[in-house]
Amino acid sequence: MKKIAIIGGGIIGMTLASYLDKTKFAITVFDSEVGQATKASAGIISPWLSKRRNKKWYQLAREGAAFYEKLVCDFHLDASVYTKSGTLLLRKKNDLEELFTLAESRKKEAPEIGELRKLTAEETQKQLPLLKRQPSLHISGGGRLDGAAYLQELKQQALANGIRFEKRNITLSKTTDWLLHEAVTGNLLGTFDFVAVTAGPGLKNLLSPLGYQVDVRPQKGQLLSFTTAFKDSQKWPVAMLDGESDLIPFNNGTILLGATHENEAGFDLNPTQEAYEHLRTVSQPFLDSDELFSKINPTFRVGTRAYTSDFAPFFGPLEDQTIVVASGLGSSGLTTGPYIGYLLADYFHNQSIDTTPYQKSMDTYIKKETNK
Ligand SMILES: Cc1cc2nc3c(=O)[nH]c(=O)nc-3n(C[C@H](O)[C@H](O)[C@H](O)COP(=O)(O)OP(=O)(O)OC[C@H]3O[C@@H](n4cnc5c(N)ncnc54)[C@H](O)[C@@H]3O)c2cc1C
């Protein structure tokens, strides 16, 4: 039995652990539980009408969204974890017709988009009563994932399957085996045959002592969580508002509004008044009234995403094929993360992986320093 350490228990690490063959691998997941993006996330799985032009990213996101059907089935995820809620798209400009045409053409290779409907102003508000009366585009295949509930569900299943968990901040070194140390004390925690580093923006510090330069940075994301009196909110679709905000209804009147994309805040996890004001301003043109803000005090969720210079994710083995890495998932990591975890598990089973359809070569993001 080979020993494998997974550093980072977010959506990639936990999905990878869950798909690994437990008869071949003894698995330990190490996670510092600081600033985790998956737990803080909004939950939208709906990549098809993104304005991004990166074709490789789109292929990964499209396949990632389609992968949800298998994921739900493999791990018996119920509606409290993932639901095909449908997505409403709202625009400031009157370009819904253009969006509809794009959706129709994308649907040819992504039938999971589901049914497309142009909604009248009245129909939009009926679908999601917090919205102002305005036309929208409804796509029935859009989904909503509760990131924290997903991790909790997978952890329960993993514990029953003998996977070990350690809440630790880790540093990494290599002799013939991989050595994992507790970051503050330097105490050796164990030796491993394989290691998967799925630590979000923490990848950079983990690989630096091994002589790698990694093009990945932290991006602060804040969102607001409101508790409203609506009891049927779990039936509402997710609303993607033009600009930098989305409205994500969960169970029992819980509504998320977010999120910010702050590239200069480093690993800071403090909620800010600026984020509150920003989210209020960008969502205001789409909301029926300001009641959400004036009557109900929101709580903040803050997490740290990882992003690269070209805002694209990367994953796969390094030169030394006993280590795999994955990071840079940015704002769409709930969509791409489970599929990446699955592909990495497949790599450990078969010792091969073809990432070329999904990303530029690994040395675009990770370079070995020549003097180390
Ligand atoms: C506010 C917000 C809203 C979002 N909304 C959406 C959305 O609607 N749709 C979507 O698709 N995506 C969304 N995302 C993006 C998505 O959440 C992330 O891209 C994805 O969760 C990243 O997963 P990950 O497993 O790579 O990293 P993470 O979930 O961040 O997990 C990495 C883990 O590694 C641990 N770690 C780091 N360094 C170490 C170390 N040295 N030792 C031990 N552990 C370590 C961290 O503590 C963390 O728990 C959102 C993100 C944020 C912050």
Side-chain angles (χ1 to χ4, degrees):
M1 174 105 51
K2 295 286 183 190
K3 287 200 291 175
I4 177 165
I6 298 175
I7 308 174
I11 198 160
I12 312 176
M14 283 304 296
T15 313
L16 163 61
S18 303
Y19 274 116
L20 279 172
D21 183 345
K22 282 79 182 172
T23 63
K24 296 201 174 110
F25 295 99
I27 306 156
T28 310
V29 180
F30 295 88
D31 195 289
S32 58
E33 296 182 19
V34 179
Q36 191 192 79
T38 306
K39 238 180 234 170
S41 63
I44 302 175
I45 313 298
S46 194
W48 307 286
L49 302 181
S50 165
K51 290 174 185 160
R52 295 181 64 168
R53 288 169 190 274
N54 181 333
K55 287 194 177 138
K56 286 180 186 268
W57 169 83
Y58 179 69
Q59 175 147 351
L60 179 65
R62 176 170 65 74
E63 291 185 29
F67 180 72
Y68 262 82
E69 196 166 326
K70 176 171 164 56
L71 191 71
V72 166
C73 199
D74 288 346
F75 300 119
H76 314 287
L77 305 178
D78 67 23
S80 68
V81 178
Y82 173 79
T83 181
K84 216 179 241 190
S85 54
T87 312
L88 286 179
L89 290 112
L90 294 101
R91 286 284 178 269
K92 278 188 221 146
K93 281 199 300 181
N94 190 14
D95 63 354
L96 280 177
E97 203 54 52
E98 222 174 278
L99 205 62
F100 184 76
T101 311
L102 175 66
E104 273 188 320
S105 80
R106 291 259 160 103
K107 192 175 162 177
K108 286 179 197 141
E109 57 171 8
E112 55 280 357
I113 286 182
E115 198 189 325
L116 306 169
R117 277 199 309 139
K118 285 178 256 182
L119 301 190
T120 62
E122 288 68 31
E123 286 171 328
T124 301
Q125 202 186 45
K126 207 166 162 206
Q127 287 270 339
L128 209 169
L130 297 170
L131 293 172
K132 163 163 101 187
R133 288 178 181 218
Q134 61 210 300
S136 65
L137 173 63
H138 182 268
I139 54 180
S140 69
R144 183 185 69 208
L145 179 80
D146 182 330
Y150 176 77
L151 296 184
Q152 206 180 352
E153 175 62 41
L154 259 55
K155 187 169 181 181
Q156 259 175 25
Q157 296 186 22
L159 285 168
N161 285 320
I163 294 176
R164 289 176 55 231
F165 288 86
E166 292 209 29
K167 184 180 168 187
R168 305 269 193 180
N169 193 13
I170 294 298
T171 58
L172 190 59
S173 63
K174 172 102 203 251
T175 52
T176 44
D177 291 324
W178 289 102
L179 310 181
L180 267 71
H181 305 266
E182 209 283 320
V184 177
T185 59
N187 289 345
L188 181 66
L189 298 171
T191 59
F192 294 85
D193 303 292
F194 297 101
V195 66
V197 191
T198 52
L203 178 68
K204 191 182 180 101
N205 284 344
L206 278 154
L207 292 196
S208 167
L210 301 169
Y212 290 100
Q213 278 182 347
V214 185
D215 171 24
V216 74
R217 274 152 268 175
Q219 181 188 67
K220 182 177 179 181
Q222 305 189 57
L223 56 75
L224 305 173
S225 172
F226 299 89
T227 308
T228 66
F230 293 98
K231 288 295 161 229
D232 57 350
S233 53
Q234 79 280 2
K235 294 187 193 148
W236 296 350
V238 163
M240 297 176 80
L241 314 177
D242 207 3
E244 209 193 32
S245 71
D246 302 305
L247 209 55
I248 307 103
F250 279 91
N251 297 351
N252 295 323
T254 300
I255 312 291
L256 301 184
L257 176 74
T260 63
H261 296 78
E262 301 167 52
N263 291 346
E264 308 304 329
F267 287 91
D268 176 52
L269 291 172
N270 292 309
T272 63
Q273 186 64 22
E274 287 80 8
Y276 175 88
E277 295 301 344
H278 173 70
L279 292 171
R280 184 175 186 156
T281 308
V282 292
S283 60
Q284 194 266 333
F286 300 96
L287 297 179
D288 187 39
S289 76
D290 204 35
E291 208 168 285
L292 202 59
F293 287 91
S294 52
K295 285 206 179 142
I296 307 149
N297 275 335
T299 52
F300 280 83
R301 279 200 205 171
V302 190
T304 313
R305 306 179 190 91
Y307 77 102
T308 58
S309 294
D310 64 358
F311 295 94
F314 59 87
F315 62 100
L318 298 183
E319 248 165 38
D320 174 343
Q321 304 204 335
T322 57
I323 178 170
V324 304
V325 301
S327 186
L329 274 60
S331 307
S332 51
L334 295 187
T335 314
T336 56
Y339 189 46
I340 291 175
Y342 171 77
L343 294 174
L344 291 179
D346 195 51
Y347 169 76
F348 281 115
H349 297 147
N350 300 312
Q351 290 297 301
S352 90
I353 187 168
D354 180 12
T355 58
T356 47
Y358 308 121
Q359 65 185 30
K360 293 181 191 158
S361 66
M362 192 63 109
D363 62 7
T364 312
Y365 307 101
I366 301 188
K367 292 188 175 50
K368 184 98 178 169
E369 289 163 21
T370 43
N371 58 345
K372 292 212 180 179

